[in-house]
Coordinates of all heavy atoms in Angstrom, one line a residue:
L1 N -5.5 42.8 -58.6 CA -6.1 44.0 -59.1 C -6.6 44.9 -57.9 O -6.6 46.1 -58.1 CB -7.2 43.7 -60.1 CG -8.5 43.2 -59.6 CD1 -9.5 44.3 -59.5 CD2 -9.0 42.2 -60.6
F2 N -6.9 44.3 -56.8 CA -7.5 45.1 -55.7 C -6.9 44.5 -54.4 O -6.8 43.3 -54.2 CB -9.0 45.0 -55.6 CG -9.6 45.7 -54.5 CD1 -10.1 47.0 -54.7 CD2 -9.8 45.2 -53.2 CE1 -10.6 47.7 -53.6 CE2 -10.4 45.9 -52.2 CZ -10.8 47.2 -52.4
L3 N -6.4 45.4 -53.5 CA -5.9 45.0 -52.2 C -6.5 45.9 -51.1 O -6.5 47.1 -51.3 CB -4.3 45.1 -52.2 CG -3.7 45.0 -50.8 CD1 -3.8 43.6 -50.2 CD2 -2.2 45.4 -50.9
R4 N -7.0 45.3 -50.1 CA -7.4 46.1 -48.9 C -6.6 45.6 -47.7 O -6.6 44.4 -47.4 CB -8.9 45.9 -48.7 CG -9.4 46.5 -47.3 CD -10.9 46.4 -47.2 NE -11.6 47.3 -48.1 CZ -12.9 47.3 -48.3 NH1 -13.7 46.4 -47.7 NH2 -13.5 48.2 -49.2
D5 N -6.0 46.5 -47.0 CA -5.3 46.1 -45.8 C -5.6 47.1 -44.7 O -6.4 48.0 -44.9 CB -3.8 45.8 -46.0 CG -3.0 47.1 -46.4 OD1 -3.6 48.2 -46.3 OD2 -1.9 46.9 -46.9
G6 N -4.8 47.1 -43.6 CA -5.1 48.0 -42.5 C -4.9 49.5 -42.9 O -5.5 50.4 -42.3
S7 N -4.2 49.8 -44.0 CA -4.0 51.2 -44.4 C -4.9 51.7 -45.5 O -4.8 52.9 -45.8 CB -2.5 51.4 -44.8 OG -2.2 50.6 -46.0
G8 N -5.7 50.8 -46.1 CA -6.6 51.3 -47.1 C -6.9 50.4 -48.2 O -6.5 49.2 -48.2
D9 N -7.5 50.9 -49.3 CA -7.8 50.2 -50.5 C -6.9 50.6 -51.6 O -6.6 51.8 -51.8 CB -9.2 50.5 -51.0 CG -10.3 49.9 -50.0 OD1 -9.9 49.2 -49.0 OD2 -11.5 50.1 -50.3
Y10 N -6.4 49.6 -52.4 CA -5.4 49.9 -53.5 C -5.9 49.2 -54.7 O -6.2 48.0 -54.7 CB -4.0 49.5 -53.1 CG -3.5 50.2 -51.8 CD1 -3.7 49.5 -50.6 CD2 -3.0 51.4 -51.8 CE1 -3.3 50.1 -49.4 CE2 -2.6 52.1 -50.6 CZ -2.8 51.4 -49.4 OH -2.5 52.0 -48.2
I11 N -5.9 49.9 -55.8 CA -6.1 49.3 -57.1 C -4.8 49.2 -57.8 O -4.2 50.2 -58.1 CB -7.2 50.1 -57.9 CG1 -8.5 50.0 -57.2 CG2 -7.3 49.5 -59.3 CD1 -9.5 51.1 -57.5
L12 N -4.3 48.0 -58.1 CA -2.9 47.8 -58.5 C -2.8 47.6 -60.0 O -1.6 47.6 -60.4 CB -2.3 46.6 -57.7 CG -2.5 46.7 -56.2 CD1 -2.0 45.5 -55.5 CD2 -1.7 47.9 -55.7
L13 N -3.8 47.3 -60.7 CA -3.7 47.2 -62.1 C -4.4 48.4 -62.8 O -5.5 48.7 -62.6 CB -4.4 45.9 -62.6 CG -3.7 44.6 -62.2 CD1 -4.5 43.4 -62.7 CD2 -2.3 44.5 -62.7
S14 N -3.6 49.1 -63.6 CA -4.0 50.4 -64.2 C -5.3 50.3 -65.0 O -6.1 51.2 -65.0 CB -3.0 51.0 -65.0 OG -2.6 50.2 -66.0
E15 N -5.5 49.1 -65.7 CA -6.7 49.0 -66.5 C -8.0 49.0 -65.7 O -9.1 49.1 -66.2 CB -6.7 47.9 -67.5 CG -6.8 46.5 -66.9 CD -5.5 45.7 -66.8 OE1 -4.4 46.4 -66.5 OE2 -5.4 44.5 -66.9
Y16 N -7.9 48.8 -64.3 CA -9.1 48.8 -63.5 C -9.3 50.0 -62.7 O -10.2 50.2 -61.9 CB -9.0 47.6 -62.5 CG -9.2 46.2 -63.2 CD1 -8.0 45.5 -63.5 CD2 -10.4 45.7 -63.5 CE1 -8.2 44.3 -64.1 CE2 -10.6 44.5 -64.1 CZ -9.4 43.8 -64.4 OH -9.6 42.6 -65.0
R17 N -8.4 51.0 -62.9 CA -8.4 52.2 -62.1 C -9.8 52.9 -62.3 O -10.2 53.0 -63.4 CB -7.3 53.2 -62.4 CG -7.0 54.1 -61.3 CD -5.5 54.3 -61.0 NE -4.8 53.1 -60.5 CZ -3.5 52.8 -60.7 NH1 -2.8 53.6 -61.5 NH2 -3.0 51.8 -60.1
D18 N -10.4 53.4 -61.2 CA -11.7 54.1 -61.3 C -12.8 53.2 -61.8 O -13.9 53.7 -62.1 CB -11.6 55.3 -62.2 CG -10.6 56.3 -61.8 OD1 -10.4 56.5 -60.6 OD2 -10.0 57.0 -62.7
R19 N -12.6 51.9 -61.8 CA -13.7 51.0 -62.3 C -14.0 49.9 -61.3 O -15.0 49.2 -61.4 CB -13.3 50.3 -63.6 CG -13.2 51.2 -64.8 CD -13.3 50.4 -66.1 NE -12.2 49.4 -66.3 CZ -12.4 48.2 -66.6 NH1 -13.7 47.7 -66.8 NH2 -11.4 47.3 -66.8
V20 N -13.2 49.7 -60.2 CA -13.5 48.7 -59.3 C -13.6 49.2 -57.9 O -13.0 50.2 -57.5 CB -12.5 47.5 -59.3 CG1 -12.4 46.8 -60.6 CG2 -11.1 48.0 -58.9
S21 N -14.5 48.5 -57.1 CA -14.6 48.9 -55.7 C -15.2 47.7 -54.9 O -15.7 46.7 -55.5 CB -15.6 50.1 -55.5 OG -16.9 49.7 -56.0
V22 N -15.0 47.7 -53.6 CA -15.5 46.8 -52.6 C -16.2 47.6 -51.5 O -15.7 48.6 -51.1 CB -14.4 45.9 -52.0 CG1 -15.0 44.9 -51.0 CG2 -13.7 45.1 -53.1
L23 N -17.4 47.1 -51.1 CA -18.1 47.9 -50.1 C -17.3 48.1 -48.9 O -16.5 47.2 -48.5 CB -19.4 47.1 -49.7 CG -20.6 47.1 -50.7 CD1 -21.7 46.3 -50.1 CD2 -21.0 48.6 -50.9
K24 N -17.4 49.3 -48.2 CA -16.6 49.6 -47.0 C -17.1 49.0 -45.7 O -16.4 48.2 -45.1 CB -16.5 51.1 -46.9 CG -15.5 51.8 -47.8 CD -14.1 52.0 -47.1 CE -13.2 52.9 -47.9 NZ -12.9 52.5 -49.3
D25 N -18.3 49.3 -45.3 CA -18.8 49.0 -44.0 C -19.8 47.8 -44.1 O -20.9 47.9 -43.6 CB -19.4 50.2 -43.3 CG -18.4 51.3 -43.2 OD1 -17.3 51.0 -42.7 OD2 -18.7 52.4 -43.6
A26 N -19.4 46.7 -44.7 CA -20.2 45.6 -44.8 C -19.5 44.3 -44.3 O -18.9 43.6 -45.2 CB -20.7 45.4 -46.2
P27 N -19.4 44.1 -43.0 CA -18.6 42.9 -42.5 C -19.0 41.6 -43.2 O -20.2 41.3 -43.3 CB -18.9 42.9 -41.0 CG -19.4 44.3 -40.7 CD -20.1 44.8 -41.9

């Protein structure tokens, strides 16, 4: 449902669009 790689963040399942996130600058 969520993929983060070197090129950015991707939400891959449409039912989660605009509803999921992962913090950006929190190693």
Side-chain angles (χ1 to χ4, degrees):
L1 74 99
F2 180 92
L3 169 67
R4 172 175 288 170
D5 62 17
S7 65
D9 290 0
Y10 303 94
I11 294 161
L12 305 174
L13 293 177
S14 59
E15 70 256 37
Y16 290 97
R17 204 138 289 149
D18 301 327
R19 292 201 299 131
V20 298
S21 63
V22 174
L23 286 178
K24 281 264 195 299
D25 303 308

